[in-house]
Amino acid sequence: MTVVRGDVTDPESVAALAAGHDAAPHASVRLDVPSEEHFTATAKALPAGLPAAGVGRLLTLGIATTLEDASGVRPMEAPGFPAEWRAFARGHVVEFELLTAGAGPELDWLMVVPPLNLDAEAEPTGGYRTAVGTVVDGPGRIAHADLALALLDEIGTPRHSRVQPAVPA
């Protein structure tokens, strides 16, 4: 695997750097611009730039606060959710909506969503499970290595397309 650096909000930069790759894992954030602006730009640039480079698979990383729980409420909309984090969460919602509406058939994509507790200190288990559409079993907890395994498995053997599979643990 080769790691490259470029401007994920510019379709031409995406196309130039993605050429020769089979898939594009994407996890970016800009804290110096409004979150919705950054996620909107990436959700437009990636579906334009990746197919231009011949890349047919995009895996973007979402956040658990954007998925509905069993009661139909997104944690980001619940009372008590920190207001200063709401714009960041809303940016991920907008990104998903734009990918859903705007990515053409030449790009197979998904937004992998870790649980609320993405734990850098957790011991990797070497496993994970996925569920589409809801936060499963409450907040959940997963090690970074297990989330990376879920992403790599989706690159090597795609099981989901154009959805938000939660990786609850």
Side-chain angles (χ1 to χ4, degrees):
M1 175 178 3
T2 302
V3 177
V4 295
R5 183 178 181 158
D7 183 355
V8 73
T9 66
D10 175 21
E12 292 174 3
S13 177
V14 169
L17 293 171
H21 295 274
D22 297 324
H26 166 247
S28 72
V29 66
R30 292 267 319 261
L31 300 177
D32 61 330
V33 297
S35 294
E36 201 165 319
E37 180 182 314
H38 174 71
F39 291 119
T40 296
T42 62
K44 292 178 178 178
L46 290 167
L50 292 174
V55 177
R57 182 89 164 140
L58 167 65
L59 290 90
T60 190
L61 194 61
I63 57 171
T65 58
T66 65
L67 297 178
E68 293 180 356
D69 64 17
S71 69
V73 175
R74 291 177 171 152
M76 64 180 262
E77 296 165 345
F81 187 80
E84 64 270 18
W85 298 349
R86 194 164 279 123
F88 181 75
R90 179 73 190 138
H92 281 282
V93 171
V94 169
E95 181 181 31
F96 181 76
E97 291 170 348
L98 287 170
L99 286 171
T100 300
E106 65 281 356
L107 183 65
D108 185 25
W109 63 269
L110 70 148
M111 181 180 278
V112 177
V113 181
L116 290 171
N117 188 353
L118 178 55
D119 193 342
E121 304 297 320
E123 282 293 318
T125 65
Y128 61 89
R129 57 193 171 95
T130 60
V132 176
T134 60
V135 175
V136 179
D137 299 329
R141 179 178 187 213
I142 194 168
H144 286 190
D146 292 332
L147 178 60
L149 179 62
L151 290 167
L152 290 172
D153 285 350
E154 277 290 343
I155 290 171
T157 308
R159 295 185 307 146
H160 298 92
S161 179
R162 299 177 177 262
V163 294
Q164 287 181 301
V167 184

